[in-house]
């Protein structure tokens, strides 16, 4: 594949940025990748593992002359970093991000985007429970969706070019409106994460059942929640603070449904439970058919164990 | 390994029984495995894939002359099957089960156990989202726990023999009191399953977000819930109906915690959220260290994709 951007600057060098690094290199989509992270430790690690072609000491330095700048910091840090780099962006450059919330990021970043710079928010729906510059791998985005959220006046050619980059690193690209994005993600990601965090917290608090038993017997279902609940705390704090309305809306629906099932248990209404559980089973089938998960039992864990 | 039981009878031929079949054969722990399932279709499938040495037309026939009889039916079906086979159990035989709830199974089965038969309830903490006789595989119990729940007067030699069988098919064996088992499992398994079912149900009901979007973008966290929520509806209906008190107790704690987090989101209390998410992350680490899950990102899904 041909080079799409001469110089790409990644601001923030966590799981997503480091995976972008590996994936952009794999596909040869940039001549140079420059990286910056606020933490000196992260910058040192990035240099040690030769993550980017160059790691700069300031964000301004990283974005200078970059054709594409991608903000890969927690949603709550977007405003400050946008203010910092805004004056240093090259005319004609594209500014994007990978935040899990889009309305709040647009509100935070847009005021700092100079005329002549294309601001195209984006959100790759990919991640693992690991974080930091060492967590990245080139295959993270393969067959996952990246949602582009063009704002009013986004240049179609600049959007198409950014879409090419995401396709080039393995993603399927969709476009969506910011508010719709935030609602869809509240259902598919934000609320599930909050619930997983809660369940793991309950298990931790439960003194009658010792921690060691909960851990020992976690294979019965609980461990799948712990994977989700092991994700980066700062990133997730910011997601909930910045997608508050949609998350609270979906949470309200969740507790309504949970109370209905709780009532069925209390009243011994087996038919209600059975009908509910039968309906949810079919959704799993659709996800497998859509190619968004493996049909291997336990995600193929038992296969992994055998090797 | 040497033969532990001459004849093993498995009653109910779903995921657990079919996996036991494969695992017992792999280790050569029984001279003969006899199977029975209530559904003619299941019996036909079991014969077609040569799951057991012999599939009988009645449960009575299956247990006659068996040294070990294992009830592998949903918890709600235990009483009827115990009544049916009770009179046909061989003196000196061991009667066990694999139900996910133990107090209710003991109450249902014990009255039908004739003098001279050793009743030793058990619960292998293993499973996948698949069900039926074709779903079984020999490795299901490898490195998983099987909890034995001996009742008053259980013969230690009979308990030791059953423990040998479970170890022989790959499990670690623990002993526990029935009520404690039911509480631990309410935390590690039953409540997580109910929550996963609920979240999947919410997504399904949400009309503003179309089904296809929820499925398309499921990789953001939701799909892990769908795996859990794809488990057998009859089995899970029975679990909740028969472990009602412990499940309602843990559910009450869960909603308390969830409301506290919901309030923190509403009030914008980022410190509360961050502290909570940091604490839950460490539990994941403990589970990896205890060997109860893989540290591969996404359970090694990306690796599986590459093959």
């Amino acid at each position: 594949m041909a080079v799409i951007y001469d110089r790409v600057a990644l601001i923030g060098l966590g799981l997503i940025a480091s995976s972008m690094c590996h994936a952009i290199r794999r596909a040869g989509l940039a001549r140079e990748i420059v990286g910056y992270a606020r933490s000196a430790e992260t910058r040192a690690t990035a240099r040690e593992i030769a993550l980017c072609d160059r790691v700069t000491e300031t964000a301004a330095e990283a974005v200078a002359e970059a054709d594409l700048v991608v903000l890969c910091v927690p949603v709550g840090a977007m405003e400050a970093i946008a203010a910092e780099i805004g004056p240093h962006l090259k005319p004609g450059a594209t500014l994007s991000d990978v935040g899990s919330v889009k309305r709040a990021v647009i509100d935070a970043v847009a005021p700092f985007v100079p005329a002549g710079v294309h601001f195209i928010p984006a959100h790759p729906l990919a991640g693992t429970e690991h974080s930091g510059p060492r967590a990245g791998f080139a295959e993270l985005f393969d067959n996952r969706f990246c949602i582009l959220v063009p704002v009013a006046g986004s240049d179609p050619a600049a959007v198409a070019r950014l879409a090419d980059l995401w396709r080039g690193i393995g993603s399927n690209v969709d476009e969506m409106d910011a508010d719709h994005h935030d609602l869809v993600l509240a259902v598919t990601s934000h609320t599930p994460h909050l619930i997983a965090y809660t369940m793991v917290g309950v298990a931790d608090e439960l003194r009658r059942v010792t921690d060691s038993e909960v851990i020992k017997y976690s294979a019965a279902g609980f461990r799948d929640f712990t994977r989700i609940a092991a994700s980066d705390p700062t990133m997730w704090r910011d997601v909930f603070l910045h997608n508050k309305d949609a998350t609270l809306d979906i949470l309200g629906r969740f507790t309504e449904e949970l109370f209905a099932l709780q009532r069925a248990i209390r009243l011994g209404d087996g038919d209600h439970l059975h009908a509910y559980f039968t309906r949810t089973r079919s959704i799993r089938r659709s996800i497998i058919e859509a190619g968004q998960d493996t049909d291997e039992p336990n995600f193929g864990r038992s296969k992994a164990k055998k090797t």
Side-chain angles (χ1 to χ4, degrees), chain A residues 14 80 105 133 141 150 166 193 230 261 266-267 280 283:
Chain A
V105 169
F141 310 108
W166 279 106
H193 272 80
L261 287 174
R266 198 182 297 280
L267 300 179
T280 56
I283 295 180

Tab-separated table of all heavy atoms in Angstrom, chain A residues 14 80 105 133 141 150 166 193 230 261 266-267 280 283:
chain	number	residue	atom	x	y	z
A	14	GLY	N	-0.345	5.279	24.570
A	14	GLY	CA	-0.907	4.120	25.263
A	14	GLY	C	-1.205	2.977	24.310
A	14	GLY	O	-0.600	2.871	23.245
A	80	ALA	N	-6.930	20.323	27.153
A	80	ALA	CA	-5.623	20.902	27.461
A	80	ALA	C	-4.619	20.650	26.337
A	80	ALA	O	-3.860	21.550	25.944
A	80	ALA	CB	-5.104	20.331	28.779
A	105	VAL	N	-15.613	15.518	23.170
A	105	VAL	CA	-14.310	15.772	22.557
A	105	VAL	C	-14.425	16.900	21.526
A	105	VAL	O	-13.566	17.785	21.459
A	105	VAL	CB	-13.740	14.490	21.901
A	105	VAL	CG1	-12.530	14.816	21.026
A	105	VAL	CG2	-13.363	13.475	22.976
A	133	PRO	N	2.481	1.861	26.416
A	133	PRO	CA	3.147	1.753	25.112
A	133	PRO	C	3.573	0.331	24.755
A	133	PRO	O	3.728	0.005	23.572
A	133	PRO	CB	4.378	2.656	25.258
A	133	PRO	CG	4.566	2.866	26.716
A	133	PRO	CD	3.211	2.736	27.354
A	141	PHE	N	-6.617	-3.566	15.274
A	141	PHE	CA	-7.758	-2.987	14.554
A	141	PHE	C	-8.305	-3.888	13.448
A	141	PHE	O	-9.298	-3.549	12.802
A	141	PHE	CB	-7.342	-1.631	13.956
A	141	PHE	CG	-6.685	-0.728	14.970
A	141	PHE	CD1	-5.320	-0.472	14.931
A	141	PHE	CD2	-7.436	-0.159	15.992
A	141	PHE	CE1	-4.713	0.345	15.874
A	141	PHE	CE2	-6.840	0.660	16.944
A	141	PHE	CZ	-5.471	0.918	16.883
A	150	PRO	N	-17.368	13.176	11.258
A	150	PRO	CA	-17.033	14.475	10.667
A	150	PRO	C	-17.897	15.570	11.283
A	150	PRO	O	-19.060	15.342	11.610
A	150	PRO	CB	-17.384	14.288	9.191
A	150	PRO	CG	-17.441	12.815	8.962
A	150	PRO	CD	-17.879	12.229	10.260
A	166	TRP	N	-7.363	4.314	8.165
A	166	TRP	CA	-7.956	3.313	9.063
A	166	TRP	C	-8.196	1.992	8.342
A	166	TRP	O	-7.982	0.923	8.911
A	166	TRP	CB	-9.234	3.869	9.704
A	166	TRP	CG	-8.886	4.763	10.873
A	166	TRP	CD1	-8.941	6.125	10.925
A	166	TRP	CD2	-8.385	4.338	12.149
A	166	TRP	NE1	-8.513	6.573	12.158
A	166	TRP	CE2	-8.166	5.493	12.929
A	166	TRP	CE3	-8.093	3.085	12.712
A	166	TRP	CZ2	-7.674	5.447	14.233
A	166	TRP	CZ3	-7.600	3.034	14.010
A	166	TRP	CH2	-7.399	4.198	14.765
A	193	HIS	N	-19.174	-1.743	30.658
A	193	HIS	CA	-17.973	-1.567	31.475
A	193	HIS	C	-18.335	-1.172	32.907
A	193	HIS	O	-17.766	-1.695	33.868
A	193	HIS	CB	-17.045	-0.514	30.853
A	193	HIS	CG	-16.094	-1.092	29.850
A	193	HIS	ND1	-16.457	-1.373	28.556
A	193	HIS	CD2	-14.788	-1.463	29.950
A	193	HIS	CE1	-15.418	-1.891	27.902
A	193	HIS	NE2	-14.398	-1.953	28.726
A	230	ALA	N	-10.644	-4.588	34.099
A	230	ALA	CA	-9.213	-4.353	34.271
A	230	ALA	C	-8.716	-3.252	33.346
A	230	ALA	O	-7.533	-2.924	33.313
A	230	ALA	CB	-8.434	-5.645	34.003
A	261	LEU	N	-36.312	-8.898	36.382
A	261	LEU	CA	-35.796	-10.270	36.504
A	261	LEU	C	-35.686	-10.665	37.979
A	261	LEU	O	-35.973	-11.803	38.359
A	261	LEU	CB	-34.430	-10.384	35.827
A	261	LEU	CG	-34.450	-10.376	34.294
A	261	LEU	CD1	-33.035	-10.340	33.742
A	261	LEU	CD2	-35.176	-11.608	33.756
A	266	ARG	N	-37.763	-13.725	42.663
A	266	ARG	CA	-38.415	-13.709	43.965
A	266	ARG	C	-39.764	-14.430	43.922
A	266	ARG	O	-40.115	-15.173	44.828
A	266	ARG	CB	-38.605	-12.260	44.429
A	266	ARG	CG	-38.869	-12.116	45.922
A	266	ARG	CD	-39.088	-10.666	46.326
A	266	ARG	NE	-37.951	-9.792	46.112
A	266	ARG	CZ	-36.889	-9.702	46.921
A	266	ARG	NH1	-36.832	-10.455	48.001
A	266	ARG	NH2	-35.908	-8.868	46.661
A	267	LEU	N	-40.514	-14.240	42.836
A	267	LEU	CA	-41.841	-14.842	42.712
A	267	LEU	C	-41.794	-16.256	42.138
A	267	LEU	O	-42.817	-16.914	42.012
A	267	LEU	CB	-42.732	-13.967	41.815
A	267	LEU	CG	-42.978	-12.529	42.291
A	267	LEU	CD1	-43.847	-11.781	41.284
A	267	LEU	CD2	-43.660	-12.536	43.670
A	280	THR	N	-32.059	-13.590	24.636
A	280	THR	CA	-30.698	-13.056	24.649
A	280	THR	C	-29.730	-13.986	23.917
A	280	THR	O	-28.742	-13.536	23.350
A	280	THR	CB	-30.187	-12.840	26.088
A	280	THR	OG1	-30.273	-14.058	26.816
A	280	THR	CG2	-31.012	-11.778	26.794
A	283	ILE	N	-28.988	-13.190	20.254
A	283	ILE	CA	-28.137	-12.040	19.932
A	283	ILE	C	-26.682	-12.484	19.772
A	283	ILE	O	-25.957	-12.006	18.907
A	283	ILE	CB	-28.274	-10.965	21.035
A	283	ILE	CG1	-29.705	-10.423	21.036
A	283	ILE	CG2	-27.266	-9.843	20.837
A	283	ILE	CD1	-29.965	-9.368	22.064
